Amino acid sequence: MRLTLNVDHIATLRNARGEEQPDPVTAALIAEQAGVDGIVVHLREDRRHINERDVRLLRELITTKLDFEMAAVEEIIRIACDVGPELATIVPEKRQELTTEGGINVIDNILLLKDTIKDLHESEIEVSLFVEPDLNHIDAAAEIGADFIELHTGVFANALSEEEQFDELERIRIASKHAKKLGLGVNAGHGLNYQNIKIFRELTDIDEVSIGQSIIARAVIVGIKEAVQEMIRLLRK
Ligand code: PXP
């Protein structure tokens, strides 16, 4: 399982006092040296953490891959096509949410998503759709030409009992196998941490996990290099 690191929260800390430090670009470069397979940023419409300067500098400086999380809205699609990340991950975005709350409803937004995928493909950007582990949405994602899906793992991560956690893990296992059969690449993320990754890593159809909060929180205590390497050791066990 590959690991990509979401550095949004480094920017959250920087923006809290309107300062220039800590810099998410510096954090990303240290994370690459520590072994991550890619850097993820979410340029939100309200610019609450990552800004355009971060995205453009990351594009110039990182040597792994840039996964650009985005809402399917005109302004952000234009920026994505201009910046040219390797991957654009389309997520639903609500102004009031603290973080992305769940997968996108592919079926209800099929025409918008189809057009967005077409625009991104014309700029040679591969596209991932952030979805719930639901076979109907995965079928729809494949139908409109997505290259990847990212399975929402928030329900698994927030499960209150072992039984609930196991059930959700099964849903994710079935969804990932189904997506693979359709020829989609399979990523996963949200709420994954140093504890729950130990059972999550058993899912062999997941190619890559995207982790932010838990690694950045650990990095504040032990540094980015150590926090990233601890997670990589768990993933590769
Ligand atoms: N994947 C997506 C699509 C997300 O929106 C987020 C949160 O920004 C993550 C993964 C990472 O989640 P977490 O910060 O809980 O690790």
Side-chain angles (χ1 to χ4, degrees):
M1 235 179 234
R2 295 190 303 265
L3 171 67
T4 57
L5 177 68
N6 180 315
V7 295
D8 290 350
H9 288 321
I10 303 280
T12 304
L13 192 55
R14 172 193 62 189
N15 297 358
R17 290 274 297 263
E19 302 286 345
E20 291 180 358
Q21 298 297 333
D23 185 359
V25 180
T26 308
L29 296 175
I30 295 169
E32 281 194 322
Q33 283 173 6
V36 296
D37 301 290
I39 300 298
V40 187
V41 286
H42 183 177
L43 184 70
R44 282 183 168 267
E45 282 185 275
D46 64 10
R47 308 293 197 271
R48 71 171 72 153
H49 36 57
I50 292 293
N51 59 36
E52 263 186 76
R53 166 261 182 210
D54 302 330
V55 178
R56 289 183 191 280
L57 266 183
L58 283 167
R59 172 63 303 168
E60 231 174 276
L61 296 176
I62 67 171
T63 53
T64 53
K65 72 165 184 189
L66 181 60
D67 176 355
F68 183 73
E69 263 184 45
M70 54 177 276
V73 296
E74 206 180 313
E75 181 213 2
I76 307 288
I77 296 169
R78 199 164 9 88
I79 295 171
C81 292
D82 190 42
V83 168
E86 279 80 9
L87 184 68
T89 297
I90 301 179
V91 299
E93 195 175 300
K94 295 187 212 139
R95 275 288 157 96
Q96 302 306 327
E97 68 191 357
L98 287 177
T99 179
T100 312
E101 286 170 347
I104 198 160
N105 187 326
V106 185
I107 295 163
D108 284 0
N109 294 288
I110 197 116
L111 293 179
L112 170 69
L113 292 173
K114 193 174 176 184
D115 284 348
T116 304
I117 290 172
K118 185 167 158 281
D119 289 346
L120 292 164
H121 277 171
E122 276 168 11
S123 294
E124 293 177 9
I125 300 165
E126 290 197 295
V127 183
S128 179
L129 301 184
F130 185 54
V131 295
E132 296 301 318
D134 176 314
L135 305 193
N136 295 321
H137 290 295
I138 294 169
D139 286 341
E143 230 174 85
I144 57 173
D147 307 285
F148 292 79
I149 52 160
E150 180 178 329
L151 292 169
H152 176 230
T153 54
V155 177
F156 160 78
N158 294 327
L160 295 174
S161 66
E162 268 186 25
E163 193 188 353
E164 195 190 327
Q165 191 184 47
F166 179 79
D167 286 351
E168 188 61 16
L169 196 65
E170 261 321 282
R171 256 194 293 281
I172 296 170
R173 187 194 308 276
I174 291 163
S176 57
K177 195 175 276 304
H178 183 74
K180 266 288 157 69
K181 274 201 194 128
L182 295 172
L184 294 162
V186 185
N187 302 336
H190 220 283
L192 296 175
N193 60 38
Y194 295 89
Q195 283 73 45
N196 62 27
I197 201 69
K198 291 174 195 159
I199 46 172
F200 196 80
R201 69 187 175 202
E202 305 302 330
L203 298 186
T204 50
D205 286 311
I206 308 270
D207 301 313
E208 186 172 287
V209 285
S210 163
I211 304 182
Q213 213 273 339
S214 63
I215 295 180
I216 301 303
R218 181 98 184 111
V220 171
I221 309 297
V222 301
I224 302 249
K225 182 172 174 220
E226 177 57 28
V228 163
Q229 289 181 341
E230 280 177 28
M231 184 59 80
I232 290 175
R233 279 196 291 276
L234 289 171
L235 280 170
R236 310 272 149 91
K237 218 168 214 168

